[in-house]
Amino acid sequence: MSTLVSDLNPLASNFLVPNGTFIVELIAFVVIVLLLAKYVIPPINKAMTARQEAIRQQFADLDQAKEDAVSARDEFQSQIADARREAAQIREEAREQGAAIIAEMREQAQAEASRIVEHGKAQIEAERQQAVASLRTEVGSLATGLAGRIVGESLEDDARQSRVVERFLSELESGTPAGGVN
């Protein structure tokens, strides 16, 4: 009997020939594809487009951040270079000021030393003059006393005494002996 049914419908056993279920399946597939194309794929595409735009924006922000970082690094390096130049200039000015201060202090010290030497010389000269005057009076009194003893007369007269002392001292300074005897 089974041979009889298959003999009556030779196309029923052929899988290449579409039957009714195939058409229903094809219509269901088309409906599903249309539903997917109308309601599911647009939101997915929209989400994918938004995601792609967000990624593009992140890349743009990243590029901008790189540029900002490079700019900040360059500015920082230029500021450091400026600071180094300024520090070198300040050190050089400090050296120059130090050298000027040292030179000024040396000049002041030399002036002070010269002043002290001149003051010392003046003081020595004053003391020398005082000693000479003191010696003149002492030598004069000793000489008149001695001369008075030798001569046997008193030379107590001040005018005579000073003349004798002056003559004696001038002869001592000139190197000629007293009394003109060689």
Side-chain angles (χ1 to χ4, degrees), residues 14-76:
N14 190 358
F15 68 92
L16 293 175
V17 176
N19 59 11
T21 60
F22 177 74
I23 293 180
V24 170
E25 288 174 356
L26 184 63
I27 292 173
F29 179 74
V30 169
V31 168
I32 289 174
V33 167
L34 288 175
L35 286 174
L36 285 174
K38 182 159 177 118
Y39 296 108
V40 176
I41 292 177
I44 290 174
N45 280 340
K46 188 176 181 182
M48 285 176 48
T49 304
R51 180 69 182 150
Q52 286 174 347
E53 191 59 39
I55 289 171
R56 279 191 199 102
Q57 184 62 38
Q58 286 176 350
F59 278 127
D61 291 345
L62 180 62
D63 290 340
Q64 182 63 37
K66 280 183 182 178
E67 290 174 9
D68 291 346
V70 167
S71 170
R73 185 192 69 209
D74 292 343
E75 183 180 344
F76 176 72

Side-chain angles (χ1 to χ4, degrees), residues 116-126:
I116 290 171
V117 166
E118 289 300 319
H119 179 70
K121 285 180 181 179
Q123 189 174 6
I124 289 171
E125 183 60 30

Side-chain angles (χ1 to χ4, degrees), residues 84-100:
R84 285 182 180 152
R85 279 192 296 274
E86 186 176 338
Q89 183 181 9
I90 289 172
R91 280 192 304 268
E92 188 60 34
E93 287 175 2
R95 280 188 199 116
E96 290 173 1
Q97 288 177 352

Side-chain angles (χ1 to χ4, degrees), residues 128-129 131-133 135-136 139 164-178:
R128 183 182 160 282
Q129 291 295 331
V132 165
L135 282 175
R136 279 184 189 251
V139 167
V164 169
V165 169
E166 288 298 323
R167 188 181 66 210
F168 176 73
L169 288 177
S170 66
E171 287 174 2
L172 278 178
E173 287 176 1
S174 66
T176 59

